[in-house]
Amino acid sequence: MSWCGYLGIRMLCAVAVLMLACVMASADTSSQNTSTRSCPIHLKPPVRNIGVKPVLTKEETALLMLLGFGGFSIILALVHNNIRKYVFHDEHNLDTTFDAGGNVSMSLTAVTVASQLFWPGDILHSATLTTKNGIAGPFWYAVGIMFNIFVFPILSVQFKTKAPGAKTYLQIIKARFGKRTHTVFCFFAILTNLVITIGVLLAGKATIQSLTKDASDEFVVLIMAALFGSYSLIGGLGTTFYVSYFNACLVFILFIVFVVKILHNTDSEFGTIGNTQKMFESITCIHGPDDNTNNSFLTFRSWGAFMYGIIEIFVSSAVTYCDQASWQSRIAAKPVQGVWGFILAGFIWFSIPNVMATTTGMAYLALSSDNGSHLLDPSQIDEGLVTPLIAEKVLGSAGGILILTMGAMALMSTGSGEVMGLSSVIVYDIFQTYIRPFRNNLQAHHCVLCGKTRKGLRQSANNSHSEGCELCSCVDASNCRTCADDVAKARNTTQYYLKQPYACETHGRYREYMDFLFEFKNWCIVWVTVCMVPLGLIVFHSGINLNWIFYSGATVTIPCFPPVVLSIIWVKATGVGLVAGSISGLVGGIAATLVTATMYPGGLDLFLDNTVKDYTILAGNVTGFVVSLTVCIVGSLLTHRIQGPADVEFEWMKMYDIDNPLQPWELMYREDMKGMQYEERPSFEQMSTAFRTAKLTAYVAGGTSIFIFAILIPGIMAAYPDMNLARFEMWLNFTQTWAVIMAIIVVFLPPTEEIISIVKQSRKNRNPGANMTKNGMARDGKGCVTLVKSTSAPEAHEMVVKDGGDYVSHNADVLPVAV
């Protein structure tokens, strides 16, 4: 068993132990409510507008965010670039910009997935849910998103094994269904990206303006655009992983500070802060929501919170499976590392909303109870100002700075991911496909270099799709000596204007094309960043709030979810069915939203309010999803042409053939194919065999995790109508213990894995001949292969194949890359 699997099993065992502690603590019902106050208290509106006091001037905020966070992220970008340059030797590769090398570790995947979900839920929104639904609100919010996290590994494994060379999910749609279908889903991808980007801008506006004196809209949007674009341009997606790591570390450290100051600070000037019993008594005196059992804030029997969790499943799915930024960060790892990374990400994510809820949210309710009225008005609560307010009250001005720091780091992680996601769609799916393709009218199973049919189908007997086709005979770039010379010369030329045309007749033109795309990528990132400024100003002046864009955006993007999933897992899916399903789902979802909104007081006259009511959101998302899925399945069944095994193979080969001929995906998976013999790349059966464990893990670990968090934990907590003091303290101890364990993993595991990866690659670079392989079989290289170091570029190794075989080095240096 791998150490990753061992870690996963240990994590699940830890969960089981904690659940046993929950049962034992729940059985102790001897502690009763001991409050002697006159209860219940109906919280009144705030007597005066308290709000959150700004703690920084614009100059201080600019210095903190631009020089502090921006400067730090740029340093990380430079560090990442140097690692890719001097260790992995692929710093000028276009694909590396958008997939971080395609071999991201399990822990970096986990912290990035969790980090990119930090906005606006856990930092701001979890405490808001506590004030509305009680302690069950943030729990079901977390479960709704975790459901999506634990399901995604199944699709990730399917994606990485069926289309290992794809960089965007749109490339799969283009390969399988053609340009018309591809155009429709490019629209949905860009729409989803815009929805999330607008949400990030609005969340940033609320955070920065609440803590900065006289911060104008222009100031806010310029600050965010500078942060999002600067290090994305320098380091690409890999820097986003590094920044996400430091973001997660910072968030967990600050969580611990909040926990200590709010729950364990006996010297607090507030009576209910630092004293669990007094906090419990204050909260139990409040008359809670009507759909909570006994109108208690301390109960898991909350219909409103449960319904919110159901809504969150659809909303998080809409903004995950249809957002290229989400796929990009999540498929940058290999299948095994990706699966365990997702499971660990779910565990990390669980601690975040619950810790924020049991600290700032509970503290707000306790202080409001002592005050007899709310400290914030409803609009301020909806803006997510509960956490900044409590941070200021408990920690003073330092609390405001800490919240601004957390918000800025979270926004940087998500915002930069959106910049990279939209840029990859523009580069791969718009510019490279429609504006300046290398070869016009290229079919999915044709070689991009020569335009002939790839060799993948020729081994299949009686496959009519390969009959009468002239097969590709292009030399593999990793075995091309002329390419090795070209790469060595290009690396030795520091000035781009001195670069000479590539000499290789097979790969030279395509290498020049990739050089052009690499330069275009830089301009693309710049213009995407610049366009954020007018976009942000328009949104800020439109009156749209964060809740509206987030939930209404989910209604218009959820119809894209079923087609994307079916395009990856279902061989009978057709372009006609997917387009019909997505469009009909969009129309149906919008119609359901508008009809349901008219049933609320004010109807569509209160458009921004009534279109994001609970039942309105649920109706729009469920209708859009169900209609889209149904039409996709029915339409595909009526129009597909799958008649037998040959048709099935031909359909999947369209995805399998997505590849970069200068950096074939087979090289990335060579370690996983040890002991298998194949000609140019492994077959479907070999890929399935190699990653069968990963697929099984995705199903078992994902299903088990969903059972634990969606059924076992709430089942235990809902066994009693509401919490007594013992169960309240148990829940606090449980969430705090979980957060500490996750903090240790977040802080120490990613750098450990990254250092191991760098050391491992450095050793390969020093001993390049030790890993000579052929068809996945280890070879000693005697008499077969001569490895020569280039005198012009010592880091570039040339291969001389004596017997004409297809021997290649396992060292990544052998692989010529776009320079």
Side-chain angles (χ1 to χ4, degrees):
M1 179 184 295
S2 68
W3 73 271
C4 294
Y6 180 74
L7 173 64
I9 293 175
R10 289 292 299 273
M11 292 289 293
L12 292 178
C13 291
V15 172
V17 172
L18 289 172
M19 293 307 99
L20 180 61
C22 292
V23 174
M24 295 174 64
S26 296
D28 180 12
T29 59
S30 60
S31 298
Q32 302 297 327
N33 298 356
T34 59
S35 175
T36 59
R37 302 173 58 193
S38 177
C39 300
I41 298 174
H42 292 263
L43 293 181
K44 302 175 182 178
V47 178
R48 57 188 178 89
N49 189 359
I50 299 177
V52 179
K53 298 179 182 179
V55 296
L56 297 173
T57 64
K58 289 194 296 184
E59 293 77 12
E60 291 170 335
T61 298
L63 287 174
L64 176 65
M65 299 190 74
L66 293 181
L67 295 183
F69 306 138
F72 179 68
S73 63
I74 289 176
I75 291 174
L76 289 179
L78 294 174
V79 170
H80 176 265
N81 267 10
N82 280 284
I83 290 174
R84 302 311 305 188
K85 179 177 182 181
Y86 295 108
V87 179
F88 296 96
H89 307 300
D90 60 356
E91 76 282 5
H92 285 301
N93 189 289
L94 177 67
D95 290 344
T96 300
T97 302
F98 293 112
D99 69 358
N103 193 18
V104 178
S105 66
M106 174 201 72
S107 55
L108 269 184
T109 300
V111 297
T112 301
V113 170
S115 180
Q116 291 184 345
L117 293 170
F118 282 173
W119 78 274
D122 42 297
I123 293 178
L124 301 178
H125 201 49
S126 59
T128 299
L129 293 174
T130 306
T131 64
K132 292 183 175 182
N133 303 109
I135 202 166
F139 173 81
W140 284 112
Y141 172 85
V143 170
I145 295 180
M146 289 169 65
F147 185 91
N148 171 45
I149 296 176
F150 291 139
V151 169
F152 202 96
I154 299 173
L155 297 179
S156 176
V157 170
Q158 296 284 343
F159 188 107
K160 294 294 288 184
T161 55
K162 291 181 178 177
K167 305 304 176 186
T168 71
Y169 74 86
L170 295 170
Q171 286 181 304
I172 291 178
I173 293 176
K174 164 65 169 55
R176 288 196 62 185
F177 312 119
K179 291 186 176 181
R180 292 183 180 178
T181 307
H182 179 255
T183 302
V184 172
F185 286 94
C186 280
F187 164 77
F188 276 103
I190 294 175
L191 178 64
T192 305
N193 188 276
L194 288 177
V195 167
I196 298 178
T197 300
I198 292 172
V200 171
L201 294 174
L202 289 171
K205 176 177 180 290
T207 305
I208 295 174
Q209 289 188 340
S210 67
L211 298 169
T212 305
K213 300 175 183 177
D214 302 321
S216 63
D217 292 345
E218 294 78 9
F219 171 80
V220 170
V221 74
L222 286 172
I223 288 288
M224 286 191 285
L227 286 177
F228 297 164
S230 56
Y231 70 91
S232 297
L233 178 64
I234 297 174
L237 184 67
T239 306
T240 301
F241 283 96
Y242 282 17
V243 171
S244 295
Y245 162 70
F246 284 98
N247 175 28
C249 289
L250 180 63
V251 167
F252 274 95
I253 291 172
L254 296 182
F255 278 173
I256 294 174
V257 172
F258 281 127
V259 168
V260 172
K261 282 293 190 178
I262 294 176
L263 299 178
H264 303 285
N265 181 19
T266 56
D267 297 329
S268 173
E269 61 180 292
F270 305 100
T272 55
I273 300 297
N275 189 315
T276 304
Q277 181 174 347
K278 291 183 178 180
M279 177 181 288
F280 169 78
E281 293 174 356
S282 297
I283 296 173
T284 54
C285 272
I286 305 175
H287 185 275
D290 292 333
D291 56 6
N292 284 18
T293 298
N294 299 331
N295 295 106
S296 173
F297 277 106
L298 298 178
T299 179
F300 271 70
R301 297 184 183 182
S302 172
W303 171 251
F306 178 74
M307 189 178 70
Y308 194 89
I310 299 299
I311 292 173
E312 201 59 41
I313 292 176
F314 289 97
V315 172
S316 61
S317 297
V319 297
T320 297
Y321 297 105
C322 309
D323 179 28
Q324 171 54 29
S326 297
W327 283 98
Q328 201 157 287
S329 299
R330 290 158 170 77
I331 62 175
K334 287 185 177 181
V336 175
Q337 289 81 357
V339 168
W340 283 114
F342 276 100
I343 302 302
L344 182 58
F347 292 164
I348 293 172
W349 166 258
F350 175 76
S351 64
I352 300 166
N354 285 291
V355 169
M356 293 303 291
T358 54
T359 51
T360 58
M362 291 289 108
Y364 173 86
L365 288 175
L367 292 177
S368 297
S369 177
D370 293 344
N371 192 50
S373 64
H374 278 286
L375 303 179
L376 298 171
D377 60 45
S379 63
Q380 291 174 321
I381 292 175
D382 287 338
E383 289 178 13
L385 299 185
V386 171
T387 297
L389 175 69
I390 297 302
E392 284 190 1
K393 283 189 171 294
V394 175
L395 300 174
S397 59
I401 296 175
L402 289 179
I403 293 298
L404 182 62
T405 301
M406 293 169 64
M409 293 295 289
L411 291 169
M412 285 170 59
S413 178
T414 306
S416 62
E418 295 304 314
V419 170
M420 296 304 300
L422 183 56
S423 298
S424 65
V425 171
I426 295 174
V427 171
Y428 286 110
D429 295 289
I430 297 178
F431 189 83
Q432 190 177 15
T433 302
Y434 299 105
I435 299 177
R436 187 172 173 180
F438 179 77
R439 184 178 296 276
N440 292 317
N441 301 320
L442 185 71
Q443 298 298 317
H445 55 286
H446 287 177
C447 172
V448 67
L449 298 176
C450 63
K452 300 176 183 178
T453 302
R454 293 177 64 93
K455 299 177 182 179
L457 292 176
R458 71 176 183 177
Q459 297 176 347
S460 302
N462 302 321
N463 193 327
S464 60
H465 296 285
S466 60
E467 294 178 358
C469 296
E470 188 176 0
L471 297 179
C472 166
S473 59
C474 296
V475 179
D476 187 350
S478 59
N479 291 335
C480 181
R481 183 176 182 181
T482 307
C483 278
D485 292 334
D486 285 340
V487 171
K489 293 177 182 178
R491 281 180 173 164
N492 198 44
T493 304
T494 57
Q495 291 83 12
Y496 278 93
Y497 63 87
L498 294 178
K499 289 179 64 174
Q500 300 297 319
Y502 294 109
C504 181
E505 296 182 358
T506 303
H507 308 99
R509 288 183 57 247
Y510 192 77
R511 198 175 295 279
E512 292 173 358
Y513 177 70
M514 295 301 290
D515 288 348
F516 171 78
L517 288 183
F518 185 85
E519 294 299 316
F520 173 76
K521 172 268 303 179
N522 295 332
W523 285 106
C524 185
I525 293 175
V526 170
W527 282 110
V528 168
T529 304
V530 169
C531 289
M532 281 190 173
V533 177
L535 174 65
L537 294 177
I538 293 172
V539 171
F540 294 165
H541 287 86
S542 68
I544 295 175
N545 58 47
L546 180 59
N547 280 342
W548 190 88
I549 190 63
F550 194 61
Y551 294 114
S552 295
T555 300
V556 299
T557 57
I558 193 69
C560 181
F561 171 36
V564 170
V565 173
L566 292 176
S567 68
I568 297 172
I569 67 174
W570 193 33
V571 71
K572 294 183 179 180
T574 65
V576 173
L578 300 193
V579 170
S582 59
I583 295 177
S584 61
L586 177 63
V587 174
I590 294 175
T593 298
L594 296 178
V595 170
T596 309
T598 60
M599 299 179 182
Y600 285 93
L604 295 180
D605 291 336
L606 300 177
F607 184 79
L608 293 181
D609 293 331
N610 289 338
T611 51
V612 289
K613 296 292 186 180
D614 290 345
Y615 287 103
T616 305
I617 299 170
L618 189 62
N621 280 267
V622 171
T623 302
F625 176 81
V626 172
V627 171
S628 177
L629 178 62
T630 303
V631 175
C632 282
I633 293 176
V634 173
S636 296
L637 289 175
L638 295 175
T639 57
H640 77 86
R641 297 181 179 178
I642 304 298
Q643 302 295 331
D647 295 329
V648 171
E649 182 193 24
F650 181 74
E651 191 67 24
W652 288 136
M653 284 297 295
K654 294 177 182 178
M655 299 166 57
Y656 213 58
D657 283 336
I658 301 173
D659 206 357
N660 181 349
L662 302 182
Q663 190 172 359
W665 58 259
E666 182 270 337
L667 293 178
M668 180 62 63
Y669 290 91
R670 184 160 294 170
E671 286 186 357
D672 305 288
M673 299 293 136
K674 287 182 179 179
M676 297 182 182
Q677 293 189 358
Y678 51 86
E679 185 176 350
E680 289 186 346
R681 59 187 180 184
S683 64
F684 277 120
E685 292 75 15
Q686 289 173 320
M687 286 288 284
S688 297
T689 300
F691 297 111
R692 182 177 293 121
T693 301
K695 292 181 180 180
L696 182 62
T697 301
Y699 284 101
V700 175
T704 303
S705 300
I706 291 174
F707 170 78
I708 290 173
F709 290 102
I711 298 176
L712 183 59
I713 295 179
I716 293 174
M717 300 308 298
Y720 297 88
D722 52 12
M723 292 182 177
N724 58 20
L725 179 59
R727 287 190 287 273
F728 180 64
E729 290 178 339
M730 175 274 297
W731 182 251
L732 294 181
N733 292 333
F734 170 68
T735 56
Q736 292 171 52
T737 302
W738 191 277
V740 170
I741 294 174
M742 292 300 105
I744 295 172
I745 293 175
V746 164
V747 172
F748 293 105
L749 187 56
T752 301
E753 285 195 319
E754 193 70 5
I755 291 172
I756 291 174
S757 174
I758 293 172
V759 171
K760 183 178 179 181
Q761 183 62 40
S762 298
R763 289 175 178 174
K764 291 180 181 179
N765 294 345
R766 289 195 299 268
N767 189 19
N771 293 292
M772 304 300 290
T773 61
K774 179 179 180 179
N775 299 340
M777 301 292 290
R779 298 281 181 171
D780 57 10
K782 295 180 180 179
C784 297
V785 179
T786 302
L787 189 67
V788 183
K789 278 198 172 184
S790 170
T791 56
S792 58
E795 73 274 14
H797 302 291
E798 301 175 4
M799 295 202 61
V800 181
V801 183
K802 291 186 175 181
D803 62 354
D806 56 348
Y807 291 82
V808 292
S809 171
H810 187 69
N811 186 355
D813 292 346
V814 175
L815 178 63
V817 296
V819 180

